[in-house]
């Protein structure tokens, strides 16, 4: 069974996944490889519905593995993805309050996320609020990462 890390952007999914298993799967990177372009560009050219379809196919395949998976923050938007995730028994929601996440995202100049760049802080807070219930719906374990270092989180998950 796959170990799936869930959470809003800035929660540390990729960092924690890398610490748990250097050969982890970065789902966004895998999607971009499959799409042959960036997720942002695919969204612009083909739309969100087309993207969510490919995302669903990739998720279904990955859940059949024993890998550590870092998901994109929007994985829970699709009801089908939530259904797939509910069938997996090792989904970990890396939870933090919005202000903590916003500060992390703002400070991360190496990874400028389109959702962050194209929305106001208020819009991002609304997206966060909507997704939070979905993360909790599919999670088997919730770890509050607001005040923990990556090393402490990794230790707790081992």
């Amino acid at each position: 069974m796959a170990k799936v890390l869930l959470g809003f952007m800035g929660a540390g999914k990729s960092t924690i996944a890398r610490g748990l298993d250097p050969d982890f799967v970065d789902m966004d990177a895998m999607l971009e490889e499959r799409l042959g372009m960036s997720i942002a560009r695919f969204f612009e050219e083909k739309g969100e519905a087309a993207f969510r379809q490919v995302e669903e196919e990739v998720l279904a395949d990955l859940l059949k593995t024993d890998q550590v998976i870092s998901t994109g923050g929007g994985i829970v938007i699709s009801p089908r993805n939530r259904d797939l995730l509910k069938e997996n028994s090792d989904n970990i929601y890396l939870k933090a309050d919005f202000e903590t996440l916003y500060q992390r995202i703002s400070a991360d100049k190496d990874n400028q996320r389109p959702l962050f760049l194209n929305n106001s802080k208020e819009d991002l807070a609304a997206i966060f609020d909507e997704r939070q219930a979905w993360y909790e719906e599919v999670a088997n374990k919730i770890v509050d990462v607001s005040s923990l270092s990556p090393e402490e989180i990794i230790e707790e998950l081992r």
Side-chain angles (χ1 to χ4, degrees), residues 2 7 15 19 41 50 55 88 91 94 105 116 126 139 141 149:
T15 300
R41 185 159 153 231
E55 180 184 59
N88 189 63
N91 300 324
L94 302 178
I105 299 161
F116 172 73
K141 181 174 178 104
S149 70

Side-chain angles (χ1 to χ4, degrees), residues 64-133:
K64 296 173 189 165
T65 72
D66 287 333
Q67 295 178 282
V68 173
I69 302 164
S70 170
T71 61
I75 191 82
V76 294
I77 291 171
S78 157
R80 177 71 184 123
N81 285 348
R82 292 195 305 272
D83 288 342
L84 287 168
L85 286 163
K86 286 177 193 172
E87 295 171 15
N88 189 63
S89 61
D90 199 6
N91 300 324
I92 302 154
Y93 172 27
L94 302 178
K95 183 176 184 172
D97 63 277
F98 178 75
E99 279 304 321
T100 297
L101 295 172
Y102 191 81
Q103 293 308 316
R104 289 181 186 175
I105 299 161
S106 300
D108 188 357
K109 302 303 180 201
D110 295 333
N111 186 7
Q112 291 294 292
R113 299 157 170 93
L115 194 65
F116 172 73
L117 296 173
N118 299 329
N119 286 281
S120 68
K121 185 175 182 180
E122 293 73 25
D123 291 341
L124 279 176
I127 293 167
F128 170 82
D129 289 341
E130 179 181 49
R131 291 182 185 178
Q132 189 162 285

Side-chain angles (χ1 to χ4, degrees), residues 1-58:
M1 140 202 44
K3 181 182 289 290
V4 181
L5 299 179
L6 304 161
F8 201 66
M9 61 180 146
K13 298 178 298 290
S14 297
T15 300
I16 301 310
R18 188 176 298 106
L20 291 170
D21 181 356
D23 295 323
F24 81 102
V25 175
D26 181 318
M27 201 167 156
D28 281 350
M30 181 178 260
L31 280 162
E32 289 186 341
E33 197 173 296
R34 180 159 313 175
L35 299 170
M37 64 180 80
S38 72
I39 291 171
R41 185 159 153 231
F42 190 86
F43 253 75
E44 285 174 25
E45 291 184 11
K46 311 273 189 195
E48 183 174 1
F51 172 76
R52 296 294 171 205
Q53 178 61 45
V54 176
E55 180 184 59
E56 180 184 307
E57 294 164 8
V58 170

